[in-house]
Amino acid sequence: MGKTFGEFAVGQRFETPGRTVTESDVMIFAGLTGDYNPVHTDEGFAASTPFGTRIAHGPMGIGMAFGLASRLDLIDGTVVALLGVTWKFTAPVKPGDTIKAGIEVLQTRDVKNPEHGFVEWSIEIVNQTGAVTSSGTAQLLMRRQRPASANWGETKAL
């Protein structure tokens, strides 16, 4: 179960585990989004670009960063909404690269609804060589209490 609003503090830092991006990931993302740009899906075309090979879709990395945050149990069941994202892409992610995300809490504040709170993160995605591939901020609406209906992953005696 993820962290609640009150468990985040400005300056807190988290580093996710790594995840290797596969050719299947890129093709599945292309199919889900309908983005079949040849720089992602056509090795012959991509070989003639400055990248020299196919690259992953930029937004796929953003999604993977949130998935990696879930693996740290930061947001599962406690995030209400993703309110906004700003992002900068600085280096390609290629099939075979292993990425991980560094997350820092930039801001927390109360909101009108007393059941929720606002949390802003800075996120930096790095590859296996430590190169920053993209970075940005994310604004999240978080629960102040863990919902009883979302107790997955807990061990219970039978």
Side-chain angles (χ1 to χ4, degrees), residues 8-119:
F8 287 105
V10 172
Q12 252 179 331
R13 292 176 179 263
F14 306 94
E15 184 176 301
T16 72
R19 182 202 195 288
T20 300
V21 177
T22 67
E23 291 185 23
S24 294
D25 293 330
V26 175
M27 295 309 291
I28 289 168
F29 192 85
L32 286 171
T33 62
D35 180 352
Y36 291 98
N37 184 317
V39 75
H40 306 303
T41 61
D42 181 333
E43 185 60 38
F45 173 85
S48 70
T49 70
F51 304 116
T53 190
R54 289 179 302 118
I55 61 171
H57 302 71
M60 187 174 84
I62 298 170
M64 287 182 170
F66 281 98
L68 291 168
S70 291
R71 288 183 58 194
L72 288 180
D73 242 359
L74 295 180
I75 56 177
D76 282 3
T78 53
V79 66
V80 176
L82 175 61
L83 301 174
V85 175
T86 59
W87 217 260
K88 180 179 179 182
F89 302 96
T90 51
V93 173
K94 300 173 182 179
D97 283 352
T98 298
I99 60 170
K100 62 183 174 181
I103 299 167
E104 181 179 355
V105 179
L106 295 179
Q107 177 184 175
T108 64
R109 64 176 164 80
D110 294 330
V111 296
K112 286 182 184 179
N113 185 333
E115 295 179 8
H116 303 145
F118 175 90
V119 176

